Amino acid sequence: MKKILSLDGGGIRGIIAGTFLTYIEKKLQELSGDENTRIADYFDFVAGTSTGGILAAMLLAPDENGRPKFTAEETLNLYLQKGYNIFNGSRRSVIARLGVVAQIRNATQYRPDYLEDLLKKYFGDMKVEELIKPCIIPAYDIRHQRAVFFRSREKKQRQYYLRDAVRSTSAGPTYFPPKAMKNLNPLEDEKENGLHEYINVDGGVFANNPLMCAYAECRKPETFPDRGGQPLSVSEMIVLSIGTGSQRLPFSNVQRSSRWGLVNWARNVPTLMMNGALDTTTYQFTSVFKAGGEENMENFIRLDVPEEIQKAQRYSSDMDDASSRNVQRLRDAGELALERAIEEQDLDGFIEKVFNN
């Protein structure tokens, strides 16, 4: 069995995914009897988009001894301790964002400097190919109008700095500016045609839930060389998909959406795009998984925040609200969602299945 972990995008709501991941890692430590056990020890493939891409990179980045550099709790602490500076503390001044000329030059709300410095500190010059386990991180290249998939099991003529891949997948339109980057080892014809130079935005514009990307990648024989060229079937997969509490979140002033102006649409379109496909992707994957036999569904679990908990906790629908008040609400929502998953979805039993397979 191959264990697959898929992590949604969602900005500061990565707190919710981090809460689930921290619990899962601690349970694996209890089962193994080893406090040094990490999620990367028990999952064979990880997919992550946007904030999920940051989480995936941290879970799989190696230290100098080839062991996971970060704990799951440290991924959570990234948002709890650094979230304000990534978002609120990096907000461009109102004056810089007002006026037609200013908006033409740069309509993004946040400066990327703090985030880029943080990624450089965490990952240095590490390449995507150095990640401990197979991984896929989606982004979208607006220069060539194509999806870009950063794979850790890549051909040698495609090499990227991990920090660039993570910055690319988290470049949410209107939030952060696109990321200009290069393939470090392109083929000559790619270099001549400029195909090795990308200008990337958030992978959430087409795969905010990267579950189907993970499935497609895991079906490729080359993803798991230990299988001797045989493709992985659904009956050989154990799949954990983690959301960020974004489904069915309310939009402001939606009753008057027929009269929204440019500013309102610009504010809401990124969230509409990134949230719109979440349920669709889960539905598609569930249909594919069931096609291999109803019993396969015992090997799939989707963790997220139930709607009633969303309403009760009233955390912001904005992916960038890292105020102390909203961070606390996200923490509370994550803890309540975790309790619900343990009670109603038998999360502990699923973790044992991951451990034993």
Side-chain angles (χ1 to χ4, degrees), residues 222-335:
E222 60 266 29
T223 300
F224 300 111
D226 61 318
R227 292 181 54 79
Q230 293 298 313
L232 193 69
S233 69
V234 293
S235 62
E236 298 170 299
M237 297 179 183
I238 297 175
V239 183
L240 171 60
S241 174
I242 300 182
T244 58
S246 53
Q247 74 275 29
R248 290 175 290 280
L249 283 170
F251 293 102
S252 60
N253 205 20
V254 70
Q255 291 82 2
R256 301 183 64 187
S257 57
S258 61
R259 297 169 62 184
W260 277 356
L262 180 61
V263 172
N264 268 329
W265 278 111
R267 181 184 300 118
N268 288 305
V269 160
T271 305
L272 284 167
M273 287 191 304
M274 294 180 183
N275 289 358
L278 291 176
D279 288 341
T280 302
T281 300
T282 302
Y283 168 78
Q284 291 170 333
F285 180 80
T286 301
S287 298
V288 169
F289 222 53
K290 278 185 178 179
E294 190 72 32
E295 66 277 5
N296 289 336
M297 292 310 299
E298 297 179 1
N299 292 331
F300 171 61
I301 188 171
R302 168 76 175 173
L303 302 178
D304 212 333
V305 181
E307 189 172 2
E308 58 269 26
I309 292 178
Q310 289 183 15
K311 290 180 178 179
Q313 294 306 307
R314 293 180 295 127
Y315 56 81
S316 173
S317 61
D318 295 334
M319 293 182 286
D320 57 340
D321 185 353
S323 64
S324 58
R325 181 181 183 184
N326 195 53
V327 164
Q328 186 58 53
R329 288 179 172 179
L330 287 168
R331 290 197 71 178
D332 293 342
E335 291 293 341

Side-chain angles (χ1 to χ4, degrees), residues 67 124 127 132 159 172 178 227 287 335 338 349:
R67 292 289 297 154
K127 311 291 197 310
I132 292 172
Q159 293 183 340
R227 292 181 54 79
S287 298
E335 291 293 341
L338 175 59

Side-chain angles (χ1 to χ4, degrees), residues 2 4 6 17 33 50 62 111 115 126 133 143 202-203 216 227 235 237 253 259 273 312 319 326 335:
K2 296 295 183 183
I4 300 161
S6 177
S50 192
R111 298 183 302 275
L115 176 59
M126 188 183 299
K133 293 289 181 70
R143 178 177 182 179
D202 196 327
R227 292 181 54 79
S235 62
M237 297 179 183
N253 205 20
R259 297 169 62 184
M273 287 191 304
M319 293 182 286
N326 195 53
E335 291 293 341

Side-chain angles (χ1 to χ4, degrees), residues 16-71:
I16 291 168
T19 300
F20 283 121
L21 290 169
T22 299
Y23 179 81
I24 291 166
E25 187 167 274
K26 288 180 178 178
K27 288 299 292 185
L28 289 171
Q29 289 171 351
E30 290 178 13
L31 291 168
S32 67
D34 183 357
E35 63 180 11
N36 293 314
T37 292
R38 300 288 179 261
I39 281 178
D41 294 324
Y42 285 93
F43 281 90
D44 304 292
F45 185 95
V46 182
T49 298
S50 192
T51 206
I54 297 175
L55 291 167
M58 291 185 69
L59 292 173
L60 299 180
D63 63 14
E64 62 276 8
N65 298 312
R67 292 289 297 154
K69 185 177 181 180
F70 302 99
T71 65

